[in-house]
Amino acid sequence: MVQIMLCGCQGKMGHVIADCVAARDDCRILCGVDINTESKLDFPVYASPADAAEKPDVVIDYSHPSSLEGLLSYGLANHVPLVIATTGYSSEQIARIHEAARHIPVFFTFNMSLGVNLLAELARKAAQVLGGQFDIEIVEKHHNRKIDAPSGTALMLADTINETLGNSEVYVYDRHSVRKKREKNEIGIHSVRGGTIVGEHEIIFAGRDEIITLTHTAMSREIFAVGSLNAAMFLCGKTEPGLYQMSNLIAE
């Protein structure tokens, strides 16, 4: 039975993960971490990982970028594997995640959905075939309470395409302030925020007289919760430090 510390347990994703865990018999939530410690959950909730009296096998984090330092400190001090599913990190914070992975196992990806990661691989293949001939645009849509824009997933998709094309592309987030033709080496990234959209990512390859689109639509948050739990089960028991992602889980 894998014992999980759930950071961000009082948030929407935290509740979804708790519901998913309740339906499984191979893991349980040992304790939670949240700025709101008053709860009716069936496990203790602490204000920070360092306050926890229990020792988990693995930590799943769906909290906030501001909690990263405490999370990494806890993982490093207690040699506990971390599944980091929070988005909106700065480049400096991502560098700290990579540094922590030199000392403990860390599972870090911008999207925990298996389908999204397949979308990234399809985008890679499309860029190999169409690169240089087709204009590339990415449109991401999320609910009106999402704070960061563009989404981490949109940036992950753009990075995947850009790496395939030799990192020759330039990201353009806003066109209204510049009146000029589109450059050939641009990847346009556009954000839509509204209603209760769980998440939609569309990659557009626009060529001469033809358009190819790749799209992933999330119908519920449960797909991310299941991905996080699968990552936790994958990471649990690993003793070698390293930075793991969805491709590692799929390969195993």
Side-chain angles (χ1 to χ4, degrees):
M1 177 75 70
V2 174
Q3 311 290 333
I4 298 171
M5 174 188 284
L6 178 58
C7 296
C9 61
Q10 300 278 39
K12 289 183 178 180
M13 276 305 306
H15 286 293
V16 175
I17 290 174
D19 289 342
C20 289
V21 170
R24 301 175 62 141
D25 56 10
D26 58 352
C27 59
R28 65 184 284 263
I29 299 177
L30 182 66
C31 60
V33 175
D34 203 282
I35 55 174
N36 176 18
T37 58
E38 296 181 7
S39 80
K40 297 180 180 179
L41 298 169
D42 59 358
F43 50 83
V45 179
Y46 303 95
S48 73
D51 296 336
E54 299 82 3
K55 176 67 179 296
D57 298 316
V58 63
V59 177
I60 296 178
D61 177 67
Y62 262 112
S63 56
H64 188 271
S66 61
S67 302
L68 180 65
E69 286 305 312
L71 175 68
L72 295 181
S73 295
Y74 177 83
L76 290 168
N78 295 276
H79 207 77
V80 175
L82 305 175
V83 176
I84 301 178
T86 300
T87 60
Y89 290 121
S90 67
S91 57
E92 292 79 7
Q93 288 177 310
I94 292 174
R96 286 197 284 273
I97 292 172
H98 283 245
E99 174 60 26
R102 295 177 56 194
H103 306 281
I104 59 172
V106 177
F107 194 107
F108 176 60
T109 179
F110 288 108
N111 195 296
M112 286 290 174
S113 161
L114 179 62
V116 163
N117 284 274
L118 173 59
L119 178 69
E121 290 305 311
L122 294 174
R124 188 191 307 277
K125 180 62 177 178
Q128 289 173 348
V129 176
L130 306 174
Q133 305 175 62
F134 283 59
D135 295 327
I136 304 170
E137 300 281 309
I138 298 173
V139 181
E140 57 95 353
K141 304 174 185 178
H142 285 87
H143 52 87
N144 56 23
R145 298 181 65 83
K146 185 172 178 63
I147 298 173
D148 56 309
S151 69
T153 300
L155 292 174
M156 177 189 77
L157 296 171
D159 289 345
T160 298
I161 293 169
N162 201 11
E163 289 167 7
T164 304
L165 299 177
N167 292 312
S168 60
E169 306 303 288
V170 176
Y171 301 166
V172 176
Y173 305 98
D174 185 7
R175 300 188 190 281
H176 86 279
S177 60
V178 179
R179 295 182 61 83
K180 67 174 185 178
K181 293 182 179 180
R182 185 189 195 283
E183 301 291 341
K184 290 297 294 181
N185 67 330
E186 291 182 7
I187 296 180
I189 305 177
H190 315 279
S191 300
V192 176
R193 296 290 177 267
T196 58
I197 302 171
V198 175
E200 180 175 319
H201 293 85
E202 179 182 27
I203 307 171
I204 303 167
F205 292 87
R208 183 178 179 87
D209 298 328
E210 60 180 333
I211 300 172
I212 299 169
T213 61
L214 301 173
T215 304
H216 177 272
T217 302
M219 306 304 291
S220 79
R221 290 182 174 85
E222 187 169 324
I223 62 172
F224 310 120
V226 171
S228 301
L229 289 171
N230 289 339
M233 301 302 290
F234 165 81
L235 210 58
C236 185
K238 291 194 179 300
T239 57
E240 289 297 317
L243 188 68
Y244 300 90
Q245 53 191 351
M246 194 61 71
S247 59
N248 300 115
L249 190 155
I250 295 170
E252 187 167 293

